[in-house]
Amino acid sequence: MKRCGVRAVAALLAAVGAVFGQSASPAGVRFTQKALPVTRHVSVYGNCYAIAPANWGIYGSRREGDALDIASSDGRLAASWGSQGVPGDLARLYPQMYGSPEVVIHHSMGASPVSYGRPVQDQFGYTWLPFEIALSKPLEPVKGVVIYRVFPVSGDPFGFILVSRRAQAVKSLWETQGAQAIAVAVSIRCTVQLRPPSGMGGRVPSEEDRMESTYNRQLGTEYAHNPETGQLYWMSHSTDWKENGPQGPGYYIQSGNELKKLAQGLP
């Protein structure tokens, strides 16, 4: 079995940081929370998980491990991951649904009007595509970003495998909390064999498995954990890193009247 995106939790965003610069944002968001506790949410089948605050929950997953949907308890923030193989014959017969990766993505947005921003490709080959969905009142419009990559299928020049992540929030929350949705989206990890369409040859490269980073340059966040309890946090480098902390440079949280130093990275 191939673990898809095992080390891509922060590397996807770090790559975009290299494209946009240390302080810029590809989707108009900035991480503003301090020392936010997060936990690991595991799918009912045990083949996928996401790292998110405790008030998030997985509401959609598949036994095959090729899709996962997770959202905040009020449904105003959401993230998803999925992989889909499209054979060339299907792409040619039904171009309005499968004609290209972008057509597949657009079809997945539903029937509501969707507008898109300028797509940007990062150094790892992922395309970041901002979007906005105009929902009918009283529902609030949704803003978000699709982060996707396309793999070719050997022997089928018109076929492809689409691997995508989607982060979104109601429009009024996107600027202040959209970064949380993006962080959740890129944390999703699934144990799944990325297969080409049935009966086709080919294999998916393993670039995602080679990416490894816990520091998110674009959002300025990093995973850190309490070595005694295992509690995991998203830390803001600009506000939570203390160069002259009581136990030396590092991330700290307030524990009673004392500062507790955390260990960097995942437990």
Side-chain angles (χ1 to χ4, degrees):
M1 298 292 285
K2 173 186 175 69
R3 183 171 294 277
C4 180
V6 169
R7 298 170 185 152
V9 174
L12 289 175
L13 292 172
V16 171
V19 174
F20 289 89
Q22 184 81 14
S23 61
S25 170
V29 297
R30 194 71 55 85
F31 196 89
T32 58
Q33 293 138 322
K34 291 181 57 178
L36 183 63
V38 290
T39 188
R40 189 174 304 212
H41 299 259
V42 181
S43 70
V44 65
Y45 302 109
N47 50 16
C48 293
Y49 70 83
I51 296 174
N55 67 336
W56 284 60
I58 293 173
Y59 67 89
S61 62
R62 284 167 48 86
R63 187 181 300 276
E64 294 83 354
D66 57 3
L68 182 136
D69 301 297
I70 182 170
S72 60
S73 56
D74 61 7
R76 306 189 80 193
L77 301 172
S80 63
W81 177 93
S83 67
Q84 181 177 359
V86 177
D89 289 344
L90 192 63
R92 291 193 297 271
L93 285 172
Y94 303 100
Q96 72 280 10
M97 293 179 63
Y98 303 104
S100 70
E102 291 73 24
V103 167
V104 174
I105 290 171
H106 180 72
H107 184 71
S108 72
M109 295 289 185
S112 299
V114 184
S115 59
Y116 299 97
R118 181 175 63 93
V120 176
Q121 190 173 67
D122 66 32
Q123 69 188 72
F124 291 104
Y126 289 89
T127 298
W128 290 61
L129 179 63
F131 67 87
E132 183 171 336
I133 303 176
L135 299 176
S136 300
K137 292 182 178 181
L139 297 177
E140 187 174 350
V142 169
K143 291 193 71 172
V145 62
V146 179
I147 309 164
Y148 68 97
R149 182 163 183 175
V150 181
F151 298 98
V153 176
S154 177
D156 184 4
F158 296 100
F160 58 88
I161 300 171
L162 173 65
V163 178
S164 64
R165 291 169 170 86
R166 178 171 162 180
Q168 66 182 53
V170 294
K171 187 175 181 178
S172 61
L173 295 181
W174 180 248
E175 184 175 349
T176 58
Q177 298 187 43
Q180 185 179 130
I182 294 175
V184 174
V186 298
S187 79
I188 298 174
R189 305 179 184 186
C190 291
T191 301
V192 58
Q193 183 70 35
L194 291 183
R195 301 182 184 277
S198 179
M200 312 301 291
R203 58 182 293 273
V204 174
S206 57
E207 281 84 351
E208 279 202 338
D209 286 345
R210 296 206 308 266
M211 288 188 284
E212 184 171 8
S213 174
T214 61
Y215 177 60
N216 175 335
R217 285 183 58 192
Q218 193 271 323
L219 295 179
T221 61
E222 186 170 1
Y223 288 121
H225 65 278
N226 187 326
E228 297 176 0
T229 65
Q231 173 66 59
L232 183 62
Y233 297 84
W234 282 330
M235 307 298 289
S236 170
H237 192 77
S238 62
T239 58
D240 298 315
W241 179 270
K242 299 186 182 301
E243 192 64 31
N244 299 311
Q247 300 175 51
Y251 290 111
Y252 288 82
I253 58 171
Q254 192 71 37
S255 179
N257 295 323
E258 299 179 344
L259 287 175
K260 172 71 176 179
K261 186 177 182 180
L262 302 180
Q264 291 173 249
L266 299 170

